[in-house]
Amino acid sequence: MGEEKRKGVSPIPEILKEVLNEAQLSTLNKMEEFGWMLEFVRRPLFQGVVPMLFHPDSKQHGVLEDNGAFNMQFDSKIRELLVNSKSYRF
C-alpha cells in the first residue's frame, strides 16, 4: 500500500476489515447482505478510523461509526473527499 508518511502510525492494511472493531464488523456483515461494501477507510490525524461503505446500485455512501451504527448523514469533509478525489478508492 505504500509507505506511511505519518511517524508512529502504521499504514492501513491491504485487507481493510483488519482495522474494524467487532461492532463495525458485525454491522458490515449485515450491510453486505443488502449489497453494501466497504469502499475505503480514512484515518484522520489523531482520530480513529472512518470506514466508508458504498452501495453500487443506489450510489449512496455511509459511515460505520465506532459503536457499529451505520450513518448516512456523515461529515461534510468526507463528502468533499468523495466528490473531489477518487484516488482513495479500493
Side-chain angles (χ1 to χ4, degrees):
M1 179 156 242
E3 195 174 315
E4 179 63 39
K5 294 179 182 178
R6 296 182 232 178
K7 301 295 180 205
V9 177
S10 61
I12 294 176
E14 292 294 323
I15 301 171
L16 296 178
K17 290 181 180 182
E18 290 180 5
V19 299
L20 304 182
N21 65 36
E22 193 173 313
Q24 291 169 326
L25 281 171
S26 177
T27 301
L28 175 60
N29 289 334
K30 291 174 189 167
M31 297 304 289
E32 286 176 334
E33 292 176 16
F34 297 99
W36 291 86
M37 62 176 134
L38 182 59
E39 185 172 28
F40 64 87
V41 176
R42 278 190 75 226
R43 185 171 31 202
L45 194 58
F46 305 117
Q47 297 177 30
V49 297
V50 181
M52 180 65 64
L53 272 58
F54 176 69
H55 195 284
D57 294 338
S58 66
K59 307 291 190 241
Q60 293 181 310
H61 287 87
V63 171
L64 281 179
E65 303 290 347
D66 286 339
N67 64 0
F70 180 64
N71 182 359
M72 293 181 65
Q73 303 297 320
F74 48 88
D75 186 272
S76 62
K77 289 181 185 177
I78 297 174
R79 286 184 190 278
E80 191 174 305
L81 175 69
L82 292 171
V83 171
N84 296 327
S85 175
K86 304 301 180 197
S87 61
Y88 294 112
R89 296 181 182 222
F90 295 94

